[in-house]
Amino acid sequence: MDGYIVQGGLGMARGSLARIEDGRGMLLYVWDGGLWITQERDSRDYYVKPGEWFRLGRNGVVLAYALSRSSVTITAPVPSHYARRIVLGARVIYDRAQEPGGWREASRQRLIRLWADAFVPFSRPTTAAL
């Protein structure tokens, strides 16, 4: 796992639904159980089993449905302003409108995310000789 932990040890009962709005780059790691994930504007659905993870590849609405009792950790590439809203059932886990810092902090986090998205796919690990 990488990034900042948004919600660790999120317990999802069988049949529960998590909804993430505009959370591109966030990662869902499944510890126990299994999730069925659907992304807006994506014709494929994804099944994530224990020990696997799924990175949200686009903005829009993402639905994660628990096929069995599941334990999930959600991480984000930036420490704040990482999604518009995250809801589990009727409980709001995160709402960007409640985030401190206002529009300046939101703009700063968007620039950080844009910069990371532009260069991380092309980076290669190197070893320095001392």
Side-chain angles (χ1 to χ4, degrees):
M1 288 189 312
D2 61 347
Y4 299 90
I5 294 178
V6 172
Q7 186 71 37
L10 179 65
M12 295 179 68
R14 181 177 183 259
S16 63
L17 186 69
R19 177 185 170 105
I20 302 172
E21 299 174 13
D22 295 335
R24 181 173 181 240
M26 295 181 72
L27 185 128
L28 298 159
Y29 185 88
V30 178
W31 297 96
D32 293 315
L35 292 181
W36 188 269
I37 299 175
T38 302
Q39 293 188 98
E40 185 177 347
R41 297 182 310 274
D42 189 351
S43 61
R44 296 171 291 174
D45 289 341
Y46 304 89
Y47 175 68
V48 184
K49 56 188 175 186
E52 293 183 348
W53 55 269
F54 180 79
R55 185 170 305 277
L56 307 182
R58 58 186 65 210
N59 278 325
V61 176
V62 173
L63 300 175
Y65 178 80
L67 295 172
S68 60
R69 185 174 178 183
S70 303
S71 179
V72 180
T73 297
I74 303 173
T75 63
V78 291
S80 63
H81 298 279
Y82 37 78
R84 181 182 301 154
R85 191 173 164 115
I86 302 173
V87 179
L88 175 61
R91 183 175 61 128
V92 176
I93 295 173
Y94 174 80
D95 190 354
R96 183 185 299 163
Q98 304 300 318
E99 187 76 34
W103 66 271
R104 285 186 192 202
E105 180 62 21
S107 297
R108 186 174 91 74
Q109 292 300 333
R110 275 196 225 68
L111 284 172
I112 290 170
R113 184 184 294 180
L114 179 68
W115 183 263
D117 287 347
F119 293 103
V120 169
F122 303 109
S123 66
R124 298 180 199 272
T126 60
T127 50
L130 297 177

